[in-house]
């Protein structure tokens, strides 16, 4: 989970040297060699499905169907965001960020090869849809951890590097998309609850187990009782990596402004840190939401 400390990258063992401080979390990891024509972001993130527009599974993994247009708008507002035609929305930027933070561009190819090997080992579990996407993401994280072990043998140091590389490239657009979706909703609480329900199906899929111990007009709890991410990573002796995936949730959770949106969101425990479940709790504040200020 996020510690709030500046991320400093130190190779060990070896003589102690001043450690470079991580640059501000910019979208630089998303810059690619060739700028795409206008509309290419939409073409890569939003594909035709059954005659209508559809969001690919990696976009579902961020926010769910309800926020699709807001995600697209948020991405297009970042002029330095570029995706070349073979990149996906999570794994490729993650590998780019890991290579950049480790200071070795050659790592990218090693990461991709190891990722393919791990994905091949799980091909029997890939029934398409969100399950396949979740295997992709979990195995990308595992591949990076395995490749970096010799370079960064300290597990905590490696953990911070991987968390920053996974969370930060998509932080700004995820927060912006979530905030925009809530700001434009007639009832932000109802919209968020609907998105949470949709994500259970379209982001997580059948290999996760959810319950709703509280489901009312004023409070909703989406409780993860079985986490497929943790199952996958723990099966490789790397269950500690699951908390890195949990850390991504702060990007959308931090976008909820109780005074403006009329509700709060919290998660009191996670399976990754030893909890029995991951209870996402949405609770109305009982106060009328204050409209968002007009855009400048």
């Amino acid at each position: 989970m996020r510690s709030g400390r500046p991320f400093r990258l130190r190779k060990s063992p070896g003589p102690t040297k001043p450690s470079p401080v991580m640059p501000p979390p910019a979208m630089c990891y998303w810059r690619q060699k060739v700028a795409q024509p206008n509309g290419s972001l939409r073409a890569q993130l939003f594909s035709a499905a059954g005659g209508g527009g559809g969001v690919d599974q990696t976009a579902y993994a961020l926010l769910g169907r309800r926020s699709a247009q807001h995600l697209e708008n948020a991405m297009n507002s970042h002029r330095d965001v570029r995706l070349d035609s073979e990149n996906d929305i999570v794994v490729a930027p993650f590998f780019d960020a890991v290579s950049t933070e480790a200071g070795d561009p050659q790592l990218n190819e090693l990461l991709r090869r190891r990722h393919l090997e791990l994905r091949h080992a799980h091909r029997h579990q890939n029934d398409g849809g969100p399950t396949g996407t979740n295997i992709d993401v979990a195995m990308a994280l595992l591949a990076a951890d395995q490749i970096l072990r010799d370079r960064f043998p300290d597990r905590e140091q490696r953990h911070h590097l991987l968390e920053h590389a996974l969370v930060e490239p998509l932080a700004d657009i995820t927060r912006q998309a979530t905030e925009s979706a809530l700001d434009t909703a007639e009832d932000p609480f109802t919209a968020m609850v609907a998105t949470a329900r949709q994500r259970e199906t379209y982001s997580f899929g059948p290999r996760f187990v959810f319950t709703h111990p509280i489901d009312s007009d004023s409070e909703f709890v989406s409780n993860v009782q079985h986490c497929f991410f943790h199952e996958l990573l723990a099966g490789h002796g790397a269950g500690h990596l699951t908390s890195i995936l949990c850390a991504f949730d702060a990007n959308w959770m931090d976008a909820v402004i109780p005074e403006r949106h009329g509700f709060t969101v919290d998660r009191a425990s996670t399976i990754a840190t030893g909890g029995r479940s991951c209870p996402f709790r949405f609770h109305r504040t009982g106060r009328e939401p204050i409209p968002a200020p007009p855009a400048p």
Side-chain angles (χ1 to χ4, degrees):
M1 307 297 286
R2 294 187 188 188
S3 64
R5 297 176 296 175
F7 180 82
R8 296 179 181 272
L9 189 60
R10 294 177 291 111
K11 290 191 177 183
S12 65
T16 303
K17 297 181 179 180
S19 304
V21 178
M22 180 65 61
M27 301 302 292
C28 57
Y29 302 132
W30 285 61
R31 290 176 184 149
Q32 304 296 326
K33 294 179 181 179
V34 180
Q36 300 297 311
N38 290 337
S40 61
L41 277 174
R42 179 178 179 86
Q44 293 168 49
L45 286 173
F46 300 82
S47 57
V55 190
D56 80 1
Q57 292 297 331
T58 48
Y60 287 149
L62 295 178
L63 296 170
R65 283 183 169 180
R66 292 181 65 88
S67 299
Q69 185 62 51
H70 299 284
L71 175 61
E72 181 186 14
N73 292 341
M75 294 191 71
N76 285 327
S77 72
H78 288 276
R79 296 183 180 180
D80 56 349
V81 174
R82 295 292 184 271
L83 300 175
D84 56 37
S85 59
E86 296 181 356
N87 275 0
D88 62 72
I89 198 173
V90 177
V91 174
F94 171 58
F95 285 165
D96 289 345
V98 169
S99 301
T100 299
E101 292 172 20
D104 184 358
Q106 303 300 320
L107 271 181
N108 211 309
E109 183 58 31
L110 294 175
L111 292 167
R112 293 175 189 278
R113 285 207 301 265
R114 183 58 184 143
H115 183 227
L116 286 175
E117 292 168 358
L118 291 168
R119 281 297 284 112
H120 183 73
H122 285 274
R123 66 190 183 281
H124 63 285
Q125 291 182 288
N126 184 3
D127 59 355
T131 296
T133 300
N134 292 331
I135 295 173
D136 271 339
V137 174
M139 291 302 100
L141 184 57
L142 180 63
D145 184 64
Q146 292 178 349
I147 293 295
L148 292 180
R149 282 176 188 172
D150 290 339
R151 298 167 185 258
F152 304 102
D154 182 82
R155 194 171 90 168
E156 182 179 358
Q157 178 191 3
R158 197 167 64 248
H159 190 96
H160 283 302
L161 186 156
L162 294 173
E163 181 178 313
H164 194 278
L166 183 73
V167 173
E168 295 302 335
L170 294 174
D172 288 346
I173 62 169
T174 304
R175 280 192 288 266
Q176 183 180 340
T178 305
E179 191 172 323
S180 296
L182 295 175
D183 286 347
T184 57
E186 182 177 347
D187 180 352
F189 173 82
T190 300
M192 179 60 87
V193 169
T195 295
R197 291 184 188 276
Q198 289 177 340
R199 293 185 73 232
E200 292 176 5
T201 299
Y202 296 107
S203 299
F204 298 106
R207 300 301 295 270
F208 284 78
V209 177
F210 290 87
T211 61
H212 305 132
I214 301 176
D215 186 355
S216 70
D217 186 57
S218 61
E219 186 174 356
F220 176 73
V221 175
S222 176
N223 193 39
V224 184
Q225 291 195 311
H226 179 78
C227 175
F228 183 47
F229 285 134
H230 193 62
E231 174 192 329
L232 286 168
L233 293 169
H236 287 270
H240 61 284
L241 296 177
T242 311
S243 65
I244 294 175
L245 295 166
C246 299
F248 184 87
D249 291 319
N251 288 337
W252 64 264
M253 293 172 74
D254 288 349
V256 177
I257 305 171
E259 297 80 10
R260 193 154 102 200
H261 301 135
F263 72 96
T264 61
V265 58
D266 62 70
R267 180 183 55 195
S269 64
T270 65
I271 294 170
T273 54
R276 298 180 62 182
S277 65
C278 308
F280 290 88
R281 177 176 176 266
F282 307 88
H283 182 73
R284 288 192 191 271
T285 61
R287 298 178 181 178
E288 192 70 20
I290 299 173

